[in-house]
Amino acid sequence: MAGEDERREALKRLCGFSQWAGKPPGPESTFTCDFFFPAAALPEWRVLKALAPSAAGLRRVRRYILEPARAAGEATGEATGEATGEALDLMSFECPSWADAREAVIDYMAGCATGGFRPGADLQYEFGEVAFGGRTSGGMALFVRGNMFVVVRRAMAQPRTDELARRIDRLLAARPGDGDRGGKVPPEVVRFEALAPLAEGKRVPLELSAQDPLGRPVWHQLFVRGGEVGRAEDRLYLAPGAGDVRVEAFTFNENGHWARRALTTKA
Amino acid sequence: MAPAEGGRGAPMVITVEAIKFNHDPAGHTTDALNIRRNAATFVNVPEWRRGVTTTPEQSPAAYAKRETAGNTITIQASFRSDEPGVTAQIRAIDPDKNPPRNEGGGCGGFIVWLIRRFLWAVLGNVLGEVVEKWATFNAAGGSGYVTFDLRDLRLPDVGVGPHITTWQWQYRLQAGAPWINIDVTTHKTYVLLEVPKSPWQQAPYNAGNTQLPWTDVLDYACIWAIGASDVDAAAGKVTAGVYRLGSSLVTYDCPGGGSTHYTDYSSAFYCTEFVERLGGGLGLGQYVNCTDCATFVTTFANILGCDLSEMTLGWMFALNEMIAIGSTSFSLPCAHPPDDAGWPSFRYHEVGWKGPCSNDGYVFDGCLKVDGDADPSGGPPHVPLLAVNMRHGATGDLLYRDRLAAPGGRPNCSPDCGNVRRRTVA
């Protein structure tokens, strides 16, 4: 019988893994920390359930059951996704590195009994650095953006999954618009700096601390040029490449209001 | 010893204050098992408390038939008297045991009587009666906890099931005097075959241990397996109960490629969410895969005393036609004729499993029905067969392996001994 490694390798060949393994394409990539469902930024979705954060190895897992806000509005009493027949299951895997997020795709696929994933391009999925769907368009969607591996599945028979996937990917991939910044009580980046002199290819600890004045949770989105950001032993690190390094950090609170701090240096 | 007479002229009042079924958390041979309601709520002892407990469900107790067999079951109860210092003989009888036969008279009355007898036999008291015992009330009117033997138990005679015990408590102040009715208490009693097996635990016994058996799970497992008197029958009934959910509550995860929705892929079973789904709520939705079904079967069977594990079969094997959970006819999984013939193979399959990790293990598969005819790889007509205590077998044995996997896939459809587990409940 095939061992675990053998199975993963077989799956990788099946999925053309070598074509999308490793680092994200392009000069700038994202790294996400402490992610939670940004409800304020996606008002068309309502969180029915938020499972307790968990971990799969070094991957931080968040899981939500969501329904279209439209359906929520139409529901009566306490009826939710069950009554409307519309609910999606969102899972996010916050991985310690870009490369690991791609490995997470294989791990996820290996856990599916029937499989049959189709490349996102075949389904006209326009999201993610890597994207796959299920047997039918809209039936399920998974994608990678930076260190985030995101799966959107159906919890009930409807609705389509790709629209939510597209919206989340856009949120992870793009800098926030200025219009979102002006909250009455935005979060604050307290400290953002490399804790040692940078040297090409060498990991140095990266300190990013932020707070919300009202104590609300915050999550961070980093845009990285000229190096790689990752997480090891629960700390961020920066491994600069040759030349200029620029890391721009955005910290969001649950209302979608944000603060920004940039780090520009040279290895 | 002669009991004191009530000395006030007015009738003396004795009340039942509390009843403990699980009065010895370290043991389960003469008392009830350690249980909790669900992940969030512990079952406090005493299970029945005056002024607090109003329904049988609020006073639950579970007993293991095998471990209690031949032993005298005991409970503990405390009482209060408005006349301190008295001594009273106290007992409880079952008022439903022999209902009056001529209620309403005529044929209708007889039918009502028959129905009551039937319900009592199936779902009624299995704990028998509380044997009388003298209790002495202290200066404050309290008796402290008194240990009582139970008699005329039906525990050895019934199978798995939920039962309602009703006790009419009585006292008298002198031996031979007429009994005086006091309180009526009701309790929900779960009859299990054996002490629940892993992932369920009996220790440590504290509110933080979420692996103590849940009454929320027993409520379903005991109904699915009602009447089962051995572990194989119970596991089989649970397997059928899980598969039947496909007619209304769950269906195979075709849109998602057969992914698990009720486990975290490794060690945890989102049992709270599944119970919510069983109750008609959303849970984590309607989709399940074989991992989910194997976990449902194993967890719900093992709480009754069965000893199943979740076993992975595979990797990558071609399939015979089947009726996957939520489907109504034979096809390859997720087929939508005429455009989609369905999946020709499983990457893996997961089942409830008993016995060794070899061809001699036995399968309990709540996820699909295989073809039970002489040629499971042949065309219709097929014979739907739920694999219940079916030996996995080697290729050519016409057992589970041959019925699930197409001839070309059978060599790969083997138990993966590195993937045997029992997921913890969460």
Side-chain angles (χ1 to χ4, degrees):
Chain A
M1 183 190 306
E4 292 282 346
D5 292 345
E6 202 177 325
R7 295 172 185 177
R8 293 187 88 256
E9 290 309 312
L11 258 180
K12 285 180 173 179
R13 285 193 297 276
L14 200 65
C15 302
F17 182 74
S18 61
Q19 297 165 36
W20 45 269
K23 294 182 179 180
E28 183 176 83
S29 298
T30 57
F31 193 91
T32 306
C33 309
D34 303 330
F35 179 79
F36 55 84
F37 182 73
L42 296 170
E44 63 271 42
W45 295 93
R46 189 166 80 98
V47 177
L48 296 176
K49 293 189 178 190
L51 271 61
S54 60
L58 295 175
R59 299 167 188 156
R60 298 169 174 171
V61 184
R62 302 298 296 258
R63 188 172 174 192
Y64 301 89
I65 305 294
L66 309 165
E67 70 174 347
R70 163 181 53 80
E74 289 169 0
T76 57
E78 293 187 2
T80 55
E82 169 60 18
T84 61
E86 293 190 71
L88 293 181
D89 185 340
L90 168 70
M91 286 191 292
S92 67
F93 297 78
E94 189 182 309
C95 302
S97 69
W98 293 330
D100 186 65
R102 283 142 176 81
E103 296 283 347
V105 175
I106 299 299
D107 290 340
Y108 179 80
M109 288 180 169
C112 294
T114 50
F117 297 99
R118 298 167 64 189
D122 293 357
L123 298 161
Q124 286 77 51
Y125 282 179
E126 294 177 344
F127 47 80
E129 294 154 354
V130 179
F132 284 90
R135 300 166 57 79
T136 54
S137 176
M140 68 93 64
L142 58 86
F143 70 88
V144 173
R145 173 66 64 182
N147 67 316
M148 292 291 283
F149 168 47
V150 177
V151 180
V152 185
R153 303 181 293 182
R154 282 186 177 150
M156 300 301 287
Q158 294 294 332
R160 292 178 65 90
T161 55
D162 44 339
E163 176 56 21
L164 176 61
R166 190 183 65 80
R167 294 280 285 116
I168 291 173
D169 183 52
R170 197 160 66 183
L171 207 73
L172 295 175
R175 287 170 173 76
D178 276 340
D180 299 329
R181 185 176 194 174
K184 287 180 180 172
V185 189
E188 179 185 350
V189 178
V190 178
R191 189 179 181 199
F192 182 47
E193 61 185 325
L195 297 182
L198 300 184
E200 183 183 341
K202 185 182 171 191
R203 292 180 178 183
V204 297
L206 192 61
E207 177 72 22
L208 170 58
S209 54
Q211 64 183 29
D212 182 88
L214 300 179
R216 295 169 293 191
V218 293
W219 65 281
H220 316 281
Q221 184 72 332
L222 280 62
F223 294 84
V224 187
R225 278 178 180 266
E228 178 169 356
V229 169
R231 175 166 45 83
E233 295 173 354
D234 230 22
R235 294 197 67 167
L236 289 178
Y237 66 81
L238 171 62
D244 292 339
V245 183
R246 178 178 172 79
V247 185
E248 196 178 2
F250 291 85
T251 294
F252 300 86
N253 67 17
E254 62 186 16
N255 286 342
H257 302 138
W258 54 270
R260 174 186 167 279
R261 186 79 70 89
L263 174 68
T264 304
T265 185
K266 181 175 282 195
Chain B
M1 160 175 137
E5 281 292 345
R8 299 180 308 183
M12 191 174 75
V13 177
I14 289 179
T15 54
V16 183
E17 292 299 303
I19 304 171
K20 293 180 181 179
F21 293 88
N22 177 27
H23 56 83
D24 176 16
H28 42 249
T29 55
T30 60
D31 73 336
L33 295 159
N34 299 336
I35 56 174
R36 57 186 302 129
R37 288 190 194 287
N38 48 45
T41 310
F42 191 58
V43 170
N44 288 304
V45 177
E47 293 87 346
W48 190 95
R49 283 181 293 162
R50 180 172 200 80
V52 175
T53 311
T54 57
T55 67
E57 289 74 20
Q58 292 171 338
S59 174
Y63 290 87
K65 279 170 62 82
R66 181 165 176 256
E67 284 77 5
T68 56
N71 299 328
T72 299
I73 308 290
T74 57
I75 63 163
Q76 292 183 340
S78 70
F79 307 89
R80 181 159 293 281
S81 167
D82 65 348
E83 289 196 19
V86 299
T87 297
Q89 196 177 28
I90 298 175
R91 72 174 188 180
I93 60 169
D94 179 354
D96 297 330
K97 186 176 177 181
N98 293 303
R101 189 163 174 170
N102 58 348
E103 275 180 39
C107 190
F110 179 69
I111 291 172
V112 168
W113 177 82
L114 267 184
I115 291 171
R116 286 187 65 181
R117 288 292 297 170
F118 174 76
L119 289 176
W120 182 85
V122 175
L123 299 170
N125 178 21
V126 290
L127 293 181
E129 299 186 332
V130 179
V131 178
E132 61 271 17
K133 196 159 190 181
W134 290 100
T136 301
F137 293 87
N138 60 24
S143 69
Y145 278 101
V146 180
T147 300
F148 290 90
D149 291 349
L150 303 183
R151 71 174 167 219
D152 299 333
L153 279 80
R154 292 197 300 135
L155 210 51
D157 309 319
V158 299
V160 167
H163 295 265
I164 302 296
T165 293
T166 302
W167 277 332
Q168 169 67 67
W169 291 86
Q170 299 175 319
Y171 82 95
R172 61 188 179 188
L173 299 179
Q174 286 183 314
W179 289 98
I180 299 167
N181 288 342
I182 45 176
D183 294 309
V184 173
T185 64
T186 56
H187 317 275
K188 187 160 190 178
T189 310
Y190 301 93
V191 177
L192 319 184
L193 296 172
E194 298 180 14
V195 170
K197 304 294 192 301
S198 170
W200 305 107
Q201 300 174 350
Q202 282 296 286
Y205 177 61
N206 59 55
N209 183 2
T210 58
Q211 306 304 299
L212 297 173
W214 299 5
T215 58
D216 280 1
V217 170
L218 286 171
D219 283 332
Y220 291 97
C222 283
I223 290 294
W224 288 345
I226 194 163
S229 55
D230 66 72
V231 289
D232 288 343
K237 287 186 167 199
V238 168
T239 306
V242 168
Y243 185 77
R244 276 197 306 271
L245 299 175
S247 63
S248 56
L249 290 177
V250 299
T251 190
Y252 193 79
D253 180 26
C254 292
S259 60
T260 171
H261 289 245
Y262 284 89
T263 79
D264 70 349
Y265 284 92
S266 54
S267 58
F269 165 31
Y270 296 119
C271 192
T272 301
E273 302 293 345
F274 180 57
V275 168
E276 181 186 304
R277 184 73 189 150
L278 289 174
L282 177 62
L284 294 177
Q286 67 181 13
Y287 294 108
V288 297
N289 79 346
C290 56
T291 295
D292 297 316
C293 294
T295 306
F296 304 156
V297 167
T298 299
T299 308
F300 280 59
N302 287 7
I303 202 170
L304 301 176
C306 306
D307 199 10
L308 305 185
S309 297
E310 294 130 16
M311 173 70 81
T312 300
L313 307 172
W315 168 266
M316 213 63 166
F317 51 90
L319 295 166
N320 294 325
E321 291 194 341
M322 64 182 68
I323 309 178
I325 190 167
S327 297
T328 54
S329 59
F330 272 94
S331 70
L332 292 173
C334 305
H336 292 285
D339 302 327
D340 189 344
W343 290 109
S345 60
F346 275 155
R347 287 179 174 163
Y348 74 95
H349 187 48
E350 194 164 330
V351 294
W353 188 273
K354 182 190 77 173
C357 180
S358 71
N359 293 342
D360 291 328
Y362 287 82
V363 172
F364 294 81
D365 188 352
C367 185
L368 54 88
K369 281 184 176 173
V370 294
D371 184 358
D373 68 18
D375 181 13
S377 296
H382 300 298
V383 178
L385 176 65
L386 191 68
V388 163
N389 206 21
M390 182 187 292
R391 196 162 70 84
H392 184 61
T395 298
D397 286 349
L398 200 56
L399 294 170
Y400 183 75
R401 180 196 295 263
D402 290 351
R403 297 192 180 282
L404 177 66
R410 288 170 189 165
N412 278 2
C413 181
S414 295
D416 179 354
C417 301
N419 270 314
V420 191
R421 51 168 69 90
R422 300 179 188 197
R423 295 177 175 87
T424 55
V425 290

